[in-house]
Amino acid sequence: MSGVPDPDDVRLAGALVREAGTLAARMRAEGVEGLGVEQKTSVSDVVTAADRAAEELVARRLSEERPADGVLGEEGVDEPGTSGRRWVVDPVDGTYNFLSGLTWWCSAVALLDGDELVLGAIYHPHDDALHLGGPGLPSTRDGVPIGPLRDVPLARTSMATYFAPGDLVARAGAAFYRAAGSAAAVRMLGSGSMDATAVAQGQVGLVLQHSVPPWDELPGAALVRGAGGTTQRVRHEGLEWYAAGAPTAVAEACAALVGGADG
């Protein structure tokens, strides 16, 4: 089991996401016209000036306070560092929601020490809620413990996911339907890190998604593990699926994905 994170790292992580989320929210409040929206891979996969400004804020703070650490950001920051530690940054997770005026978006960071996940921090500006947690750090919301997560079978809980519509007619569709068909309900809300806060709080049973980049995975994985949940990866038909949540539900979803075939 991971050791307890340095309290200074925990405080810094919380400050980083709070500042990044507050900056993005302020820019959004000034109107979408000034956000300089650009499309990345699809109409719903976009980047704005707020994403970039928030990532630059986090990278600048880290260069001042943790100059030896690496930084990897969704919007292009990639500093290798020399300490063996790396901060993974998602300045605005749920950008399409952010642009659309929906509130299910956040700013998120995770800290790795080598390959070991140390902690995650997620700030939800709409609720002014700060989530912190990690394998050796019991998860909290605004300093209040939110675990332990209750173990439940897949058939008695909901599953959060995200996919492009085309996935359902491509190779991901059959595997996803096997897993989703065993769940009590499916939710697609548009922010992986926010979904993980719901899992950690027992509002959703698990998150399941394929081809998840580290900035979408690691902050939420830290919270789920800090709440007593588990994470798992499984390969099937050339795709790597990621699941996080209640241990039994995660195991059952991953088994359903492969449908008895070799993963």
Side-chain angles (χ1 to χ4, degrees):
M1 180 177 178
S2 303
V4 177
D6 186 322
D8 286 340
D9 286 333
V10 178
R11 284 191 289 270
L12 177 58
L16 292 173
V17 292
R18 186 180 292 277
E19 291 175 17
T22 299
L23 172 61
R26 184 170 66 247
M27 293 178 70
R28 176 63 177 82
E30 292 170 355
V32 296
E33 297 80 6
L35 289 178
V37 181
E38 297 176 20
Q39 183 174 313
K40 294 197 283 188
T41 63
S42 70
V43 172
S44 62
D45 182 17
V46 292
V47 61
T48 73
D51 296 77
R52 294 195 172 101
E55 183 164 297
E56 289 168 6
L57 181 155
V58 172
R60 184 172 61 252
R61 282 285 308 273
L62 287 170
S63 71
E64 295 167 353
E65 302 200 31
R66 299 291 188 274
D69 291 356
V71 184
L72 176 66
E74 180 179 10
E75 308 310 336
V77 172
D78 190 357
E79 298 292 340
T82 59
S83 68
R85 304 186 343 150
R86 174 168 279 200
W87 297 81
V88 180
V89 182
D90 196 340
V92 177
D93 182 41
T95 302
Y96 197 71
N97 286 350
F98 170 79
L99 276 174
S100 302
L102 297 171
T103 62
W104 199 251
W105 66 272
C106 63
S107 293
V109 303
L111 174 61
L112 295 170
D113 191 345
D115 293 329
E116 181 182 28
L117 180 59
V118 177
L119 65 90
I122 297 172
Y123 178 63
H124 183 205
H126 181 265
D127 288 350
D128 189 23
L130 176 62
H131 301 262
L132 295 165
L137 178 69
S139 293
T140 59
R141 173 181 165 137
D142 295 330
V144 178
I146 56 177
L149 187 151
R150 184 172 62 93
D151 195 17
V152 288
L154 183 59
R156 297 187 62 82
T157 194
S158 59
M159 169 194 297
T161 190
Y162 179 80
F163 48 77
D167 282 348
L168 293 185
V169 296
R171 57 185 175 174
F176 176 76
Y177 279 132
R178 283 195 297 272
S182 300
V186 176
R187 302 285 182 259
M188 189 162 71
L189 302 173
S191 168
S193 287
M194 283 301 301
D195 291 346
T197 68
V199 171
Q201 294 175 97
Q203 299 163 330
V204 175
L206 75 158
V207 174
L208 179 71
Q209 186 179 340
H210 74 76
S211 308
V212 183
W215 43 80
D216 285 335
E217 172 192 349
L218 297 174
L223 282 184
V224 171
R225 291 174 63 185
T230 190
T231 61
Q232 186 174 338
R233 285 184 171 272
V234 61
R235 292 194 65 84
H236 181 61
E237 295 184 345
L239 294 175
E240 185 169 49
W241 293 82
Y242 163 74
T248 297
V250 166
E252 291 175 348
C254 289
L257 281 173
V258 302
D262 293 333

